[in-house]
Amino acid sequence: MKITRFLMRTQHAGWITLFVKTPIKPSCFHAALLRPPIPRICIGQEARWIHCGSTVYKDKPDNSDLSKLFENETKAKSLVTHDDLFERTAKDAKNKASFNRVVDVFNKQDIRRRGHVEFIYAALQKMPEFGVERDLAVYNKLLDVFPKEVFVPRNFIQRMFNHYPRQQECAVQVLEQMENYGIVPNVETKVLLVQIFGEKGHPVRKYQRLMYWLPKFKHINPFPVPFELPQDPIDLARFSLTRIANDLDAKITVYQYPSTDVTETGEEVTQPHIVGIQGPEQISLLAKHNPNRPVFVEGPFPLWLRKTCVQYYLLRADLVPPEERVQDEPDPELVGPNQCLFYPWQIDLDLSRDMGDDFSYDVEDVEEGPVYAMCMAGQGDQATLARWICGLQETNPILGRIPTVFRLESGSRELQTAADVQHDSGQNSQSGSEQEHIIEEEQLHSQRMKQ
Amino acid sequence: MAVSRVTLQTPAGVCGLFRRQLLQPSLSHPTILSTRSIYGEYKRPGQPPDKRWPWEKIRFDFSKGVEGIQKHFGLLKDEFVGRLRGPEGRPLLDHMLEQTLVQWEFRGPESLDQWVVSSDKEIGGQSEAYLKLGKNNTTCMLYGTLCSVPPRDGETRYSGYCTLRSKQTLLSFDRKRHFDWSTFNTLYIRFRGDGRPWMINISAEMYFSHNKNDIYSYFLYTRGGPYWQEVKIPFSKFFLSSRGRIQDDQHCLWLDKVNNIGFTLGDKADGPFQLEIDFIALCIDRAHTEEFAYEKFKRNPEVP
């Protein structure tokens, strides 16, 4: 219903511009409207339109910018006016300054702020386009478009009923958009709303709700992500790897910085960045890995940081079958915080205090293979990741003896071109003896594919 | 031409109403009788109202009756036998001494039958969500694509959600079975996600039918990465919302008649998502004594 009303309004506006501009004499205009089948309401509305039209054509010599705009409007004969105001005023650049300029132009256009509800709805829609959807000052400026002290209810009857419902709905919509983008309003917003709609209007209620709930949930995320992610891919990789590793002891190594070289033949070679993370526990786990079993490079897996998605790769192994598992003896040198120095190291006491003190969960554990390292790279192809494995061998010499199998999803392989692949394979052969095992695994990989 | 447009379009409310009454005078059924108008069921924008009589929706079939009798009397028998064994079919000692309760676990394909996946396709959106078992058939993997483009029906303003929700468990003769979690105070979930925030929704049975849209919700933040995450959420933190709006007067969740639990994603980041759940359990956190995390006193100025 709201929308139909809105459409009706816009159609009316278009009809006026059409009608007034066509050279019809006023007499026949009235005659046409005063025909019997039309209800009387029409006449009143018609009078208002004419009035509206006259204000539209009022020339304002003090503002040349505005008069230019109106000239444009008369030429365009458009139906929707406010979208066009945004389009025309901010032709060159769409930023905060131009958005504010549009709002200023509208404010100076008419002292009665006619059509401000439509203008605010149009502005709300245009805000993401201008990149100001997260700017509190802009929202306050939009609320400032409402005329002050006109919509404040003056007696109890007006207060009881919904006073100026469309304007209140519109202001609530502005606040709702603030809510959706997670912007907490400030005192200026409240002062504006109280000035416009009075102490107990719906927009002020909405403001109170926002001020109650938004600060409660503002810092609730235990893994916070900044709104502005770091631009440098290495910083971004560092941030996301520390997030997913969940290990304060883990060390981040940058295996390769991004660089662009020009070779002798003149073609440009871009080296993607490779950033890896590995914790001390993972190193010790990898040292215990049975060299006869392969390790796998898997990926890419997605990680969402607000609205951006980054990809990471894992070095992991399959689950060790139960017959090969070694029960490691507790280290006698290692004294934990809850171990007593005067007793033998392994105390086999049933420490449960009561019948009901079983706090474990009655489910079978999900068993998965261990994760040995994680990395993020600029390219997800096999050569780049092989360079990561080479870099890992400095801290984990056992990797030289373990076969490595690449299980990369086909989605990322499609992105690289054939020339890249040839070039990468050439680099592989150059990098020497360390690459031998990887070439082996490529064969292993191809065997897997054949199976 | 202009005149005809005037007559058709200008008197928006009056003429529109009048025309509607004139052109559709023969409503086949009075709308008061349909359950939809009584309970205010959600009608998708653009969909015609269901105008069938209530008996037209029932399938009269002999084989269906036989199946129903077998199923319901079987359930009734289980109920009686279980009652003999102890409360909720378990021995009394177990029931009295339990500190944790695993309510939902995913250990086989039949465990997925207890869940319903839905997305904004129901309101005309374009998101997709699917449910499958994890790699070694011991977890539940919810995956799909989120797309927050609202449908072009002129009414819907926001779109883009995907939901996993547990089915209402039923006793014999289609009576609702509620979970009684009143001895626990904390929800325990083991899961891993991809960094997106989710929302946990719990709906409980209330006395009045106008409370049927009430849902208690809280957030579930995922870390992302290959490691499992274990989260304990006290029930006191869940806040009341109805039809997607947080309510002004909040009350704590009554845990004695819980109907179902749901997970919702709607973070407006278009793209693929996944959430892997190992199990959902309840536990008692003795250190947590908070009854309700939000203010229950009358606010000043009071919000009506």
Side-chain angles (χ1 to χ4, degrees):
Chain A
M1 187 59 211
K2 265 178 275 168
I3 285 167
T4 50
R5 216 189 306 163
F6 183 65
L7 282 178
M8 298 294 296
R9 188 62 64 91
T10 49
Q11 275 170 348
H12 288 167
W15 180 76
I16 306 154
T17 42
L18 266 178
F19 206 88
V20 176
K21 245 129 328 117
T22 40
I24 298 177
K25 285 174 193 170
S27 58
C28 75
F29 178 72
H30 276 276
L33 277 178
L34 289 177
R35 272 180 181 177
I38 303 159
R40 208 187 294 162
I41 315 158
C42 261
I43 302 166
Q45 282 191 352
E46 170 254 347
R48 245 172 71 196
W49 299 342
I50 291 172
H51 180 61
C52 180
S54 67
T55 56
V56 166
Y57 286 101
K58 200 185 288 174
D59 205 5
K60 288 190 178 178
D62 55 324
N63 199 332
S64 60
D65 191 20
L66 273 182
S67 57
K68 227 183 278 174
L69 271 180
F70 285 134
E71 279 169 21
N72 284 345
E73 201 170 337
T74 49
K75 278 174 199 164
K77 294 182 182 178
S78 64
L79 293 177
V80 188
T81 52
H82 299 300
D83 276 353
D84 278 6
L85 193 67
F86 276 96
E87 290 297 327
R88 269 177 287 140
T89 322
K91 245 179 224 166
D92 42 350
K94 292 193 170 178
N95 50 19
K96 189 182 169 184
S98 59
F99 192 88
N100 283 339
R101 202 153 53 87
V102 178
V103 179
D104 286 338
V105 164
F106 180 80
N107 282 346
K108 285 176 198 154
Q109 184 172 319
D110 184 5
I111 198 161
R112 294 180 190 82
R113 308 270 166 90
R114 210 158 255 145
H116 62 272
V117 171
E118 288 84 357
F119 172 76
I120 290 173
Y121 276 125
L124 283 181
Q125 278 193 347
K126 288 280 170 187
M127 277 178 102
E129 208 174 295
F130 282 72
V132 291
E133 76 274 14
R134 296 198 46 81
D135 201 330
L136 179 58
V138 174
Y139 283 104
N140 283 342
K141 199 171 171 63
L142 261 191
L143 284 177
D144 208 10
V145 171
F146 281 110
K148 309 289 177 301
E149 294 174 9
V150 181
F151 308 135
V152 182
R154 286 156 196 249
N155 51 39
F156 73 97
I157 293 176
Q158 289 179 348
R159 206 164 287 128
M160 200 158 59
F161 291 102
N162 207 354
H163 198 47
Y164 281 100
R166 283 203 66 200
Q167 282 78 3
Q168 293 206 36
E169 273 169 27
C170 180
V172 167
Q173 189 59 39
V174 174
L175 288 167
E176 195 173 315
Q177 185 154 336
M178 287 170 81
E179 182 190 0
N180 286 343
Y181 285 106
I183 299 157
V184 187
N186 59 2
V187 183
E188 196 187 336
T189 321
K190 180 172 187 179
V191 170
L192 278 172
L193 288 175
V194 169
Q195 270 185 352
I196 299 161
F197 295 106
E199 288 276 356
K200 291 193 173 182
H202 291 296
V204 182
R205 296 291 190 211
K206 179 81 184 171
Y207 166 83
Q208 288 169 342
R209 278 166 203 142
L210 290 191
M211 288 308 277
Y212 182 75
W213 290 107
L214 284 184
K216 266 194 197 323
F217 297 146
K218 198 174 178 186
H219 299 293
I220 212 171
N221 192 346
F223 321 110
V225 183
F227 273 107
E228 296 284 326
L229 286 174
Q231 293 295 320
D232 186 21
I234 290 182
D235 285 345
L236 185 64
R238 211 171 254 153
F239 173 75
S240 26
L241 283 175
T242 43
R243 178 188 164 116
I244 61 177
N246 191 16
D247 184 5
L248 292 178
D249 296 330
K251 224 179 82 186
I252 289 184
T253 323
V254 182
Y255 296 100
Q256 188 171 291
Y257 285 94
S259 59
T260 312
D261 295 333
V262 181
T263 55
E264 293 167 1
T265 51
E267 55 181 322
E268 284 196 357
V269 183
T270 359
Q271 301 281 357
H273 66 276
I274 307 173
V275 185
I277 190 168
Q278 202 179 26
E281 280 181 27
Q282 291 172 326
I283 293 179
S284 60
L285 264 180
L286 184 54
K288 285 180 202 156
H289 185 85
N290 183 4
N292 297 328
R293 297 189 159 274
V295 289
F296 302 100
V297 177
E298 287 183 3
F301 300 106
L303 170 70
W304 283 90
L305 306 168
R306 277 187 206 277
K307 308 233 163 158
T308 48
C309 185
V310 292
Q311 317 245 313
Y312 63 93
Y313 298 86
L314 296 179
L315 176 70
R316 72 186 312 164
D318 271 346
L319 195 61
V320 183
E323 64 269 12
E324 280 187 28
R325 265 174 231 177
V326 190
Q327 201 74 35
D328 44 342
E329 293 288 314
D331 189 5
E333 298 288 324
L334 198 78
V335 180
N338 48 7
Q339 258 173 327
C340 179
L341 289 172
F342 303 107
Y343 277 88
W345 300 121
Q346 281 172 298
I347 311 170
D348 195 19
L349 286 178
D350 187 14
L351 288 175
S352 61
R353 282 152 291 184
D354 200 359
M355 287 195 296
D357 284 348
D358 182 15
F359 292 101
S360 60
Y361 296 93
D362 185 22
V363 276
E364 304 154 23
D365 290 336
V366 173
E367 294 192 324
E368 284 180 332
V371 175
Y372 293 135
M374 289 180 267
C375 93
M376 282 174 65
Q379 278 178 19
D381 57 287
Q382 194 166 326
T384 316
L385 294 172
R387 230 166 288 148
W388 170 50
I389 300 294
C390 290
L392 270 180
Q393 285 181 13
E394 290 175 11
T395 46
N396 309 280
I398 194 175
L399 261 184
R401 289 183 283 137
I402 305 174
T404 312
V405 179
F406 289 85
R407 289 201 290 210
L408 304 177
E409 274 170 37
S410 55
S412 64
R413 306 272 302 171
E414 287 168 9
L415 290 176
Q416 57 175 331
T417 55
D420 284 342
V421 175
Q422 282 173 5
H423 182 77
D424 288 337
S425 61
Q427 275 193 338
N428 266 349
S429 60
Q430 285 168 10
S431 59
S433 63
E434 280 183 352
Q435 293 286 339
E436 284 179 7
H437 67 278
I438 290 167
I439 295 162
E440 275 177 25
E441 296 123 25
E442 277 172 14
Q443 289 166 0
L444 208 152
H445 185 55
S446 57
Q447 281 169 10
R448 262 173 177 268
M449 297 295 283
K450 278 169 199 164
Q451 286 164 8
Chain B
M1 179 59 205
V3 174
S4 67
R5 272 168 77 183
V6 172
T7 48
L8 277 180
Q9 291 174 353
T10 37
V14 182
C15 195
L17 264 180
F18 185 60
R19 223 185 310 153
R20 208 173 300 153
Q21 279 179 358
L22 266 187
L23 295 181
Q24 305 171 344
S26 59
L27 281 176
S28 56
H29 315 300
T31 44
I32 302 166
L33 276 182
S34 79
T35 52
R36 207 153 250 185
S37 62
I38 292 171
Y39 289 112
E41 199 97 342
Y42 175 74
K43 186 176 82 68
R44 184 183 148 182
Q47 217 177 31
D50 190 6
K51 283 183 182 172
R52 290 179 299 171
W53 287 102
W55 56 82
E56 285 171 343
K57 300 172 188 171
I58 304 173
R59 188 164 59 94
F60 295 101
D61 198 350
F62 185 72
S63 63
K64 186 197 161 202
V66 172
E67 276 171 24
I69 284 172
Q70 278 178 352
K71 182 186 145 199
H72 289 299
F73 278 94
L75 283 171
L76 194 66
K77 195 198 89 185
D78 290 347
E79 250 170 78
F80 274 109
V81 173
R83 192 62 60 83
L84 289 179
R85 208 178 295 129
E88 294 175 18
R90 285 178 303 157
L92 185 65
L93 208 61
D94 285 6
H95 180 75
M96 286 173 68
L97 294 180
E98 69 184 356
Q99 305 289 318
T100 58
L101 174 67
V102 177
Q103 192 69 62
W104 288 281
E105 53 180 336
F106 299 92
R107 298 289 183 269
E110 70 279 354
S111 60
L112 295 188
D113 298 339
Q114 303 171 11
W115 295 86
V116 185
V117 183
S118 65
S119 67
D120 58 7
K121 263 192 184 163
E122 294 182 12
I123 61 162
Q126 298 159 25
S127 304
E128 289 170 3
Y130 308 99
L131 189 67
K132 67 171 184 188
L133 280 178
K135 258 184 189 172
N136 40 8
N137 284 358
T138 52
T139 53
C140 132
M141 173 83 100
L142 175 66
Y143 66 101
T145 341
L146 192 75
C147 179
S148 53
V149 179
R152 295 170 60 87
D153 54 8
E155 262 180 73
T156 317
R157 282 185 299 171
Y158 310 115
S159 174
Y161 67 85
C162 293
T163 307
L164 175 70
R165 185 172 167 145
S166 70
K167 276 183 195 164
Q168 174 71 54
T169 45
L170 294 175
L171 290 169
S172 57
F173 306 108
D174 286 344
R175 288 170 299 146
K176 281 184 182 175
R177 183 192 159 208
H178 313 293
F179 301 115
D180 185 0
W181 294 348
S182 46
T183 51
F184 306 100
N185 66 359
T186 306
L187 187 72
Y188 182 96
I189 304 177
R190 191 161 185 268
F191 67 98
R192 69 180 161 197
D194 55 355
R196 287 184 185 245
W198 288 72
M199 187 165 244
I200 303 182
N201 306 312
I202 296 178
S203 71
E205 183 75 15
M206 294 287 192
Y207 184 78
F208 296 108
S209 66
H210 74 259
N211 285 338
K212 79 188 180 76
N213 288 310
D214 287 6
I215 275 181
Y216 288 86
S217 334
Y218 199 67
F219 312 101
L220 181 75
Y221 290 100
T222 60
R223 180 185 276 281
Y227 296 117
W228 287 97
Q229 217 180 320
E230 284 156 9
V231 163
K232 280 165 97 171
I233 301 173
F235 286 119
S236 66
K237 300 225 175 203
F238 282 77
F239 54 85
L240 172 64
S241 65
S242 181
R243 293 192 170 216
R245 298 274 176 195
I246 299 187
Q247 297 301 298
D248 279 338
D249 50 346
Q250 294 279 330
H251 297 283
C252 60
L253 168 62
W254 290 352
L255 287 167
D256 54 343
K257 280 183 173 180
V258 171
N259 277 335
N260 49 33
I261 192 172
F263 298 89
T264 308
L265 174 74
D267 64 345
K268 290 191 181 144
D270 294 357
F273 67 90
Q274 62 179 39
L275 178 76
E276 205 172 350
I277 305 174
D278 183 6
F279 64 88
I280 300 162
L282 307 156
C283 66
I284 305 177
D285 191 351
R286 301 279 182 203
H288 186 82
T289 53
E290 187 182 56
E291 275 185 19
F292 193 52
Y294 310 101
E295 283 82 349
K296 285 196 285 188
F297 53 79
K298 271 197 170 182
R299 280 177 290 279
N300 188 21
E302 188 186 347
V303 176

